[in-house]
Amino acid sequence: MRNIFENTNTNIAGECFVVNESSIANEIRDWNTQQDNREKNIKKIALIITIIMLILWIGGDFLGMPEAFELFTGLMALFGYWAIVFIGGTWMSRPSVRRKNEEMATRSMIEMNVPDDAKLMEVVIPQKKDSAGWIKGNPNGWFGKNEMMMMYSDATHMYLANVYQTVGIPLTSFYNLSQTPDKIRFTTWLQEKPVNQFKKQGVKVNNGRIKGYNIVVPFYTASIHGKDEDFSICVPSYELEAFCEITKLKIYV
């Protein structure tokens, strides 16, 4: 049973549930790809500069370079990478970039007629992490990603929209909800409240076996009847109450 949001920024697994697509989806994808490439290039530049500084630092010591030169290259070798990444990250998140992100998102939501009273809902997407060689089942849970989507409903459907498309799932298609949670690890915390305010929901921060995957979140899996196959949607523990209210699925205790 595949996760309906196997890949949220291209064709999703549950294409049969797509009820609307944004005409600027490709524009948004291109922009996001451009931003991702810039971020990668900043890290590459930072690494190259750090290596050069390390060579100059070591070489300068042998050549008897001035103390100021040694101090500068030494500091850059030790801390230059993170300084450059920080400066690059600040540049990547400058106001003009944030405005463009917000403008494109707003245009997309208006075009797809997402109502103003739609609520943000987070979904988690268990994924294979190639560098670990696992799809699931490491001792501390799944690896994956999370995404905020706009959630709303009518008498017959639950809708989840991101900037690319809107998925409409008939309420009668929901047929099962896991009764005990699995755990997923991901890198980015998307909620406005800090992680420590979700301890009652089982959320915690741990050292990851893969660098950065240190946010541990319990999640429940809802099963959905599709046209030709069944799908799942994974809901973090802190979104479960709102999700169950709409779908009428229950946790039996």
Side-chain angles (χ1 to χ4, degrees):
M1 185 166 55
R2 292 192 295 165
N3 188 290
I4 195 171
F5 297 119
E6 232 172 26
N7 192 344
T8 54
N9 64 349
T10 55
N11 293 325
I12 68 169
E15 290 184 41
C16 58
F17 294 112
V18 175
V19 296
N20 213 336
E21 292 186 277
S22 170
S23 65
I24 64 169
N26 287 333
E27 179 184 342
I28 295 172
R29 289 187 188 105
D30 290 343
W31 167 253
N32 288 339
T33 299
Q34 184 183 72
Q35 294 301 98
D36 288 343
N37 288 337
R38 285 174 176 169
E39 184 177 349
K40 290 176 184 177
N41 287 335
I42 288 170
K43 291 179 179 179
K44 286 179 182 178
I45 291 169
L47 181 59
I48 291 170
I49 291 175
T50 300
I51 293 171
I52 292 172
M53 290 296 110
L54 180 61
I55 294 171
L56 291 175
W57 183 29
I58 296 172
D61 186 45
F62 282 110
L63 296 173
M65 297 297 288
E67 187 176 334
F69 177 87
E70 285 288 283
L71 178 62
F72 173 75
T73 54
L75 288 174
M76 286 297 294
L78 294 172
F79 307 110
Y81 178 86
W82 298 112
I84 294 168
V85 168
F86 175 77
I87 293 169
T90 302
W91 177 74
M92 289 282 293
S93 60
R94 63 194 185 277
S96 61
V97 172
R98 292 199 302 270
R99 282 196 299 271
K100 183 165 183 176
N101 288 336
E102 291 168 0
E103 287 169 3
M104 288 193 297
T106 300
R107 282 171 56 198
S108 184
M109 292 297 171
I110 291 173
E111 180 190 307
M112 292 191 297
N113 297 313
V114 175
D116 292 337
D117 60 352
K119 298 179 180 179
L120 278 172
M121 175 181 171
E122 185 177 354
V123 297
V124 295
I125 308 162
Q127 292 182 324
K128 179 180 179 181
K129 183 66 180 173
D130 290 333
S131 62
W134 298 312
I135 296 177
K136 68 168 188 175
N138 73 82
N140 297 307
W142 298 62
F143 291 100
K145 62 180 289 187
N146 52 334
E147 180 171 341
M148 300 300 294
M149 308 187 80
M150 301 304 295
M151 176 184 69
Y152 59 102
S153 63
D154 57 24
T156 59
H157 285 71
M158 173 185 182
Y159 300 93
L160 291 169
N162 59 16
V163 294
Y164 307 107
Q165 62 223 335
T166 300
V167 169
I169 308 170
L171 295 176
T172 54
S173 295
F174 290 98
Y175 69 91
N176 186 47
L177 181 66
S178 61
Q179 295 300 295
T180 56
D182 288 307
K183 291 182 179 180
I184 188 169
R185 287 171 173 260
F186 43 74
T187 60
T188 307
W189 181 249
L190 299 178
Q191 296 292 321
E192 290 185 0
K193 295 179 180 178
V195 175
N196 59 18
Q197 293 193 25
F198 291 82
K199 288 182 179 179
K200 290 183 178 180
Q201 289 81 21
V203 180
K204 60 181 180 180
V205 177
N206 263 347
N207 292 325
R209 291 178 65 180
I210 300 178
K211 186 177 180 180
Y213 280 75
N214 60 349
I215 303 171
V216 183
V217 175
F219 72 93
Y220 294 81
T221 301
S223 302
I224 305 165
H225 282 308
K227 183 179 179 181
D228 298 312
E229 64 177 310
D230 286 1
F231 296 94
S232 65
I233 179 172
C234 297
V235 184
S237 55
Y238 42 82
E239 299 283 15
L240 188 64
E241 184 177 351
F243 179 80
C244 288
E245 186 177 340
I246 289 177
T247 62
K248 307 305 179 187
L249 294 172
K250 294 181 180 179
I251 293 288
Y252 296 95
V253 293

